[in-house]
Amino acid sequence: MNAKDNRERLTPLENCHDTKSSSVSDRCWASWFHRETVVRNLEIFQNFIVVSLCIGIFCVMLIRLGEMFLSLVETINFQAITSDILFILILVEIFRLLIIYLQEQRISIGAAVEVSLVSALREVILQGVLDIPINQLLGVCVFLIVLGGLLALRVWMFQRFDVIKQSRSEESSDYQNSKLRRFTVVDQYPF
């Protein structure tokens, strides 16, 4: 074996430390800028940020839960307690949204719409329906109708995808049916 064969058998990191050949060094640095390497490293960094957000949201949920129970010792303010409960539910939904993102590397539209619905309702409860100006109340109503429409559209799309899936499975042969794997709800639908 000659020295050239030994250099080709080295790992990319070992090739970087090989000072005999500048072309090998250039190839090593070029490998760091391949699209797959850059995307993989950015996804790892992004997952680290999402995990940090999950830990932070979990800590905030615990703090708010403790504050809510301590506020029950004093005079009971139903509006504040309801607001705290809805805020904790919003945090739970955001936490669930981040968990789905970590598992599937996508944002769940259903969970995002649910968070928006609960957030809008929380703001209405905080201010009181009678205290909200009519323009803002109409805006909130339109917003809630749009979010409800998104949820209805999502259900309709689930049903439509089920019909398409059933028609394709009926047309496929027995061999292809044996090769199909079972899908979870998250795997079946891209949204």
Side-chain angles (χ1 to χ4, degrees):
M1 266 188 220
N2 57 22
K4 183 179 179 182
D5 291 336
N6 285 336
R7 268 187 260 129
E8 290 175 357
R9 290 183 180 188
L10 294 174
T11 65
L13 289 177
E14 292 169 334
N15 275 336
C16 288
H17 299 296
D18 186 12
T19 57
K20 294 179 182 178
S21 172
S22 64
S23 65
V24 172
S25 178
D26 292 341
R27 278 187 279 156
C28 175
W29 285 108
S31 71
W32 282 94
F33 297 105
H34 288 319
R35 183 171 48 110
E36 294 85 14
T37 306
V38 171
V39 168
R40 187 186 65 227
N41 290 335
L42 288 175
E43 283 178 349
I44 290 170
F45 185 68
Q46 187 174 10
N47 287 342
F48 174 74
I49 291 172
V50 171
V51 168
S52 301
L53 287 172
C54 285
I55 293 169
I57 287 175
F58 189 74
C59 292
V60 169
M61 281 190 289
L62 290 176
I63 291 169
R64 290 301 294 243
L65 196 60
E67 289 175 356
M68 186 181 71
F69 283 125
L70 289 177
S71 70
L72 291 175
V73 175
E74 301 169 3
T75 59
I76 296 177
N77 182 358
F78 290 110
Q79 188 176 13
I81 291 172
T82 306
S83 172
D84 285 342
I85 291 171
L86 288 174
F87 183 69
I88 291 171
L89 288 175
I90 290 169
L91 291 178
V92 167
E93 288 296 320
I94 292 173
F95 186 79
R96 185 172 65 108
L97 185 68
L98 292 173
I99 295 298
I100 291 172
Y101 177 79
L102 283 174
Q103 291 173 344
E104 303 296 326
Q105 295 296 312
R106 65 175 183 80
I107 296 295
S108 171
I109 292 174
V113 169
E114 290 169 6
V115 168
S116 301
L117 278 169
V118 175
S119 298
L121 292 174
R122 178 183 179 266
E123 292 302 317
V124 169
I125 290 173
L126 272 178
Q127 289 184 356
V129 177
L130 299 176
D131 297 333
I132 298 176
I134 190 70
N135 293 337
Q136 288 181 353
L137 190 59
L138 290 175
V140 169
C141 288
V142 169
F143 182 66
L144 292 175
I145 289 170
V146 168
L147 291 177
L150 283 174
L151 283 178
L153 179 67
R154 183 172 174 255
V155 169
W156 178 80
M157 289 179 71
F158 278 152
Q159 293 170 349
R160 185 72 183 145
F161 280 130
D162 283 339
V163 168
I164 292 171
K165 181 183 170 193
Q166 288 174 358
S167 67
R168 285 185 182 172
S169 66
E170 290 171 359
E171 295 172 358
S172 65
S173 68
D174 292 333
Y175 176 73
Q176 290 174 341
N177 283 337
S178 66
K179 293 291 182 180
L180 290 176
R181 66 180 178 96
R182 294 185 180 261
F183 290 103
T184 62
V185 174
V186 176
D187 289 337
Q188 285 181 357
Y189 307 108
F191 46 90

